[in-house]
Every structure is written in structure tokens, then in C-alpha cells.
Amino acid sequence: MKYISTRGATAHKAFSEVLLMGLAPDGGLMLPEHYPHVSEQTLEAWRGLSYQELAFEVMSLFITDIPADDLRDIINRTYTEEVFGSREITPVRTLSDGIKIQALSNGPTLAFKDMAMQFLGNAFEYVLAKEGKTLNILGATSGDTGSAAEYALRGKKGIHVFMLSPEGKMSAFQRAQMYSLQDENIHNIAVLGMFDDCQDIVKAVQSDASFKEKYQIGTVNSINWGRIVAQVVYYFAGYFNVTTDNSQKVSFCVPSGNFGNVCAGHIARQMGLPIHRLIVATNENDVLDEFFKTGEYRPRSTADTYVTSSPSMDISKASNFERFIFDLMERDAVQIEALWAEVGIGKGFDLSLQLGKIRNQYGFVSGKSLHQDRLATIAEVYRADGELLDPHTADGVKVAREVREAGETIVCLETALAAKFEEAIREAVGEVAVARPSGLAGLEALPQRVQTVPNNAEVVKSIIRETLHK
Ligand SMILES: *Cc1c(COP(=O)(O)O)cnc(C)c1O
């Protein structure tokens, strides 16, 4: 399997190369040159496989340059009961109103990003060792992505992580989660500034080509193909969990921001998994809902992005969206180049003529959920089922209920656990004990390892230099 760029001007690449890439050199995103098709017989054969076996079957269709035994080993080391809390890895439960919830958030940082990031950590280590290379990840985080990356890369050979976070702007839980890591290859850097300042520092360092080259600076952002491919697996697992034979169709509802999670669902559907609809749920930042309702894509600036109580979806430029539009436009890279030229000058684009195809051929629908909807959903589910949903999952459940057709099975992806967002939970249901997985009790009291720096890219560069010259 080779990979191509959505902008069409990058030479075909193998998985191991794509794994370590951010954007393609032509500014596009990498995708497999075609989606492998899974026949009815193969689907039947996959039903009943363990999560690890299923992950191997799905991922080996996309990853053909790592020997099968090595890939199997990477997968078996990644998806363990020890790391994900259950033998099933992504167990499904049913709410009293019939909506199914697939748990993707039982990994070390209690958010679905662990599903992909844990794989990425092991895959990076494998590929780097094989090629005798090292990699230094520089990232900026406002919470979830940074901690998922640190927990995936801690202790990995050949890798250092330099993670910038805005000083004092994350919750005590989020800070403790990251800063309590004592691994020597994890470097927490708190910047006296906002999240945007952290991002600007990352961009400044990245744009110093000689520094970037000399210190092998890389990223692990949501456009990484290795993350998407790992996410395709749980759509298959969820489907098999709620069906008894392959004539049945299932819809998935996905709380969305950067379109990475639901993009994996789109790929599973293109492979032949019997997915009826892909339901995109947004919060107040409704760029994607607007697109799936009107065909107009109007990304907004950071200044026009709301800060909400489902913060991991506070995104107004969906970085993986280009992958779906590439498929929608029959993989015509020239059109993609033209559409994103419009995005680049702040205009966006209008594909309302494609709405029929988006809905009927690709199965996309959408909805949005606001602060009050989110709180009401958390409170209702708590009353009816005695369980606490996290705010992002609540956005999904709200939208799933709204769009559900008679007889439709909807699996709503649980993207985080309530324990991460105690404040929103209290606002929804009052004083309750929000259960924390064992091992995380007392997290905030652990010693922390973080250095605070001024909002200055040169200072960050010198930290990287000094660390790597030790
Ligand atoms: C990242 C994240 C999302 C959004 O996922 P995308 O792949 O960016 O669409 C939703 N919920 C939670 C809790 C997240 O951490």
C-alpha cells in the first residue's frame, strides 16, 4: 500500500515514511492510494476476533511495509487490558433510551486520543529503531492532546517530548496528569502566556529549518495518518459488538472537532463496513454542522472560537476535513488545491451542490449541542441510568437522540470520561462524587516536573539544545 497527498504533488510514500510526517510537502494530507475493500466473507470471518486480532487484520491492509509478525507485536503490546482497563478494549453499553455508548476513554489519560496515540508511541519507537533515527516531538497543548502524547511516548527509546502548555490555564487535574510524569524523556514547559502563544512558539521553532533539521523536530498532531488508521479499528469492533450478522446496519455518532475521529469512520464505511449514517456532533463551534447542513465550509479564526464546556471540540478549522473533501471531489487534487486556496484567504467554500451525495452516498448528517443541552443531557442520563457522561459524549448523545430514525441503531462514541471534567458535571447535577479510575486518586498531590519560561521561542530552543547535548 502506497500513500498519496490530497494536493497531488508529493511522491508516493510507504507507511513508515508517512508515519513520521506532518503535512505533506505540498501542503496536503496523506491518504492511502485506495481504500482496501472488505468482502462479506471477510467481514464474517472477522466477527468474533479479539480486539488485537481485529486490529491486526484491519491495519495490515494499510501497513504493508512492516513485517506481519512485527506489526502484530506492536499491536499486542499496545491494546492490553492493563492499559485500556478491559479485555474488550472498547466495550459497548446501552442507555435506557436505547442509544449505545462505545467506551474509547479507558486509556491512561481518560480520552479517546489514547486509542491512537498509544499505537503511535509503539510504532514510532519501532520505525526509529529500525532506521537508526531519533525524533524530538515539540507540541503545544491546552490539555488532552499533550497528555495523550506524553503517556504514549514516555520512556520510549530515541524520542524526547517537549510539550508547551499555557501556565495556569489548565485544570488542576490536567496539570497533574502531565506534570507528574517523571520520565527523563518527557519535558513539560509551562509558558507565561495563552495556548495560542504556545502554538506560535511551536510554529516559530518549526519554521527555523536548520534548527528543525539539526534537532529532528517532529509533531504528533491530529493530521497524523498513523492516528487515523488506528481509529478505523474501533468502528469495526463497535459494529460487531452490537450486531449479530452482517446484514444489519449501524450508525455512529461522533463528537467532533478536528474531524479525525469521524474521518476514520468514513474510511471504515468506504471499506465496506455496513455503516448506515455517520452523525457528526459539534458544540457551539459549529463549523462542521454548518457544512453538513448547508454545504458551506466557513472556518473561523481563533478570535471567533467560543470557549465551551466541551473544550476539546473548541475548534473552528477542522484539520482532517480535507481528507473527506478529497474523496467527495472524486480525489481531484486540482480541485482540492483550489478549494483550500479559498480557505487560505479566509473565505471558505460552497459545496451545496454536493449535499445529496454527502448525505446519500457518504451517509453524513450532523447536529449541534449547546451548553444547556449538554448539561441537560448529563442530568437526564444521570437520572435515568445513574451514570455520568462526560460533556463531549453528552453532546453526541444529544445529537443522536435528535436525529435518530425509527429502528435505527446508533452507537455514540464516548470520547472522554466524566472524571476529567468535574466542574461541568457539578454544574449539571450538583454535588456528586465523580468516580475516578483507581490509580488516579490523589493525582494532584504527586510531585510535579515542569519548568516555567517566558513567552519566547529562543528560550524554548535553548532548552531543547541543552537537553539534547547532555
Ligand atoms: C479530541 C477530542 C474530540 C474531537 O475529536 P476530533 O478527532 O478532533 O474530531 C472530542 N472529544 C474529546 C474528549 C477529545 O479529546
Side-chain angles (χ1 to χ4, degrees):
M1 176 69 77
K2 290 282 184 184
Y3 288 83
I4 57 173
S5 161
T6 51
R7 305 282 174 96
T10 298
H12 291 208
K13 298 214 180 298
F15 176 81
S16 305
E17 297 171 275
V18 174
L19 180 69
L20 302 177
M21 281 170 71
L23 279 182
D26 61 15
L29 304 183
M30 301 304 284
L31 272 178
E33 58 191 351
H34 69 270
Y35 297 128
H37 189 260
V38 179
S39 69
E40 295 246 357
Q41 290 89 320
T42 305
L43 262 186
E44 207 45 60
W46 286 0
R47 186 179 282 284
L49 293 183
S50 69
Y51 192 92
Q52 299 78 1
E53 290 163 340
L54 182 61
F56 174 77
E57 294 300 332
V58 173
M59 289 165 85
S60 61
L61 299 174
F62 295 97
I63 304 174
T64 54
D65 59 334
I66 295 180
D69 286 344
D70 292 356
L71 181 60
R72 214 185 284 276
D73 179 58
I74 294 170
I75 290 169
N76 289 344
R77 284 189 287 117
T78 301
Y79 298 106
T80 65
E81 182 171 352
E82 194 192 355
V83 174
F84 289 96
S86 74
R87 202 178 44 81
E88 288 173 281
I89 308 297
T90 63
V92 180
R93 61 188 191 273
T94 309
L95 298 181
S96 51
D97 68 353
I99 302 274
K100 313 242 177 223
I101 306 281
Q102 185 177 6
L104 305 180
S105 307
N106 296 326
T109 73
L110 317 187
F112 91 98
K113 295 194 171 62
D114 290 327
M115 291 299 303
M117 211 70 99
Q118 288 286 320
F119 168 76
L120 211 60
N122 288 323
F124 273 4
E125 187 177 50
Y126 172 88
V127 169
L128 291 170
K130 203 162 191 180
E131 297 175 3
K133 287 186 192 159
T134 57
L135 182 65
N136 298 301
I137 298 291
L138 174 65
T141 188
S142 53
D144 284 351
T145 310
S147 59
E150 291 190 353
Y151 279 77
L153 297 170
R154 61 190 294 198
K156 295 278 182 266
K157 288 187 224 57
I159 303 174
H160 280 270
V161 179
F162 298 88
M163 192 58 67
L164 311 182
S165 52
E167 210 268 337
K169 306 292 186 303
M170 299 188 300
S171 72
F173 180 87
Q174 286 176 316
R175 284 200 302 272
Q177 220 178 15
M178 290 176 56
Y179 302 166
S180 66
L181 288 179
Q182 301 294 329
D183 306 78
E184 282 188 10
N185 71 328
I186 301 294
H187 311 280
N188 287 304
I189 302 173
V191 175
L192 296 169
M194 305 296 287
F195 171 63
D196 285 336
D197 299 318
C198 298
Q199 255 185 331
D200 287 344
I201 293 177
V202 172
K203 278 186 208 142
V205 176
Q206 292 269 3
S207 63
D208 180 344
S210 71
F211 185 90
K212 190 178 169 196
E213 162 97 36
K214 180 163 182 205
Y215 295 101
Q216 335 269 334
I217 302 294
T219 56
V220 283
N221 45 28
S222 81
I223 57 169
N224 185 291
W225 168 254
R227 287 175 64 176
I228 306 281
V229 72
Q231 291 170 181
V232 173
V233 177
Y234 54 70
Y235 286 87
F236 282 84
Y239 174 80
F240 290 131
N241 193 306
V242 303
T243 57
T244 50
D245 72 73
N246 302 332
S247 66
Q248 294 165 291
K249 286 204 161 198
V250 171
S251 298
F252 284 89
C253 182
V254 189
S256 294
N258 269 321
F259 205 75
N261 198 352
V262 74
C263 183
H266 159 70
I267 292 170
R269 196 173 182 277
Q270 293 308 109
M271 291 169 73
L273 186 68
I275 295 178
H276 176 43
R277 303 196 290 173
L278 288 164
I279 304 160
V280 176
T282 73
N283 65 14
E284 287 85 341
N285 297 295
D286 59 355
V287 178
L288 290 170
D289 181 43
E290 189 173 284
F291 174 77
F292 287 106
K293 290 223 165 83
T294 67
E296 287 185 44
Y297 183 58
R298 305 268 172 243
R300 293 161 207 159
S301 67
T302 322
D304 293 323
T305 304
Y306 300 104
V307 175
T308 76
S309 48
S310 47
S312 302
M313 288 153 61
D314 291 348
I315 288 160
S316 293
K317 234 179 237 146
S319 58
N320 279 291
F321 190 53
E322 184 171 334
R323 289 193 158 110
F324 168 64
I325 299 298
F326 183 60
D327 288 340
L328 177 67
M329 305 315 279
E330 315 286 345
R331 301 197 144 205
D332 179 348
V334 175
Q335 288 207 57
I336 296 303
E337 186 75 51
L339 291 174
W340 259 266
E342 297 291 300
V343 172
I345 57 169
K347 276 178 61 186
F349 51 74
D350 180 352
L351 293 179
S352 50
L353 292 176
Q354 307 283 337
L355 270 181
K357 194 169 159 192
I358 291 168
R359 288 188 193 139
N360 305 327
Q361 186 177 332
Y362 289 99
F364 275 101
V365 282
S366 70
K368 75 168 160 179
S369 162
L370 309 178
H371 183 68
Q372 288 311 328
D373 299 319
R374 189 173 304 133
L375 298 188
T377 306
I378 293 170
E380 276 165 32
V381 170
Y382 185 56
R383 213 177 305 124
D385 297 276
E387 67 162 278
L388 292 166
L389 292 180
D390 111 278
H392 308 79
T393 310
D395 286 333
V397 169
K398 187 267 180 183
V399 171
R401 286 174 167 177
E402 197 170 78
V403 305
R404 180 154 58 151
E405 297 165 346
E408 186 179 21
T409 300
I410 302 184
V411 174
C412 195
L413 300 184
E414 181 174 54
T415 55
L417 292 193
K420 272 193 113 154
F421 301 97
E422 291 188 6
E423 216 175 290
I425 301 299
R426 296 232 161 78
E427 197 180 339
V429 300
E431 276 306 314
V432 284
V434 187
R436 250 189 212 185
S438 58
L440 292 178
L443 179 73
E444 287 90 337
L446 295 175
Q448 300 194 348
R449 198 165 154 267
V450 55
Q451 48 188 324
T452 303
V453 301
N455 177 10
N456 183 325
E458 290 307 317
V459 175
V460 171
K461 280 190 200 169
S462 63
I463 289 175
I464 295 175
R465 246 183 242 115
E466 282 162 27
T467 306
L468 299 178
H469 283 308
K470 260 187 208 150

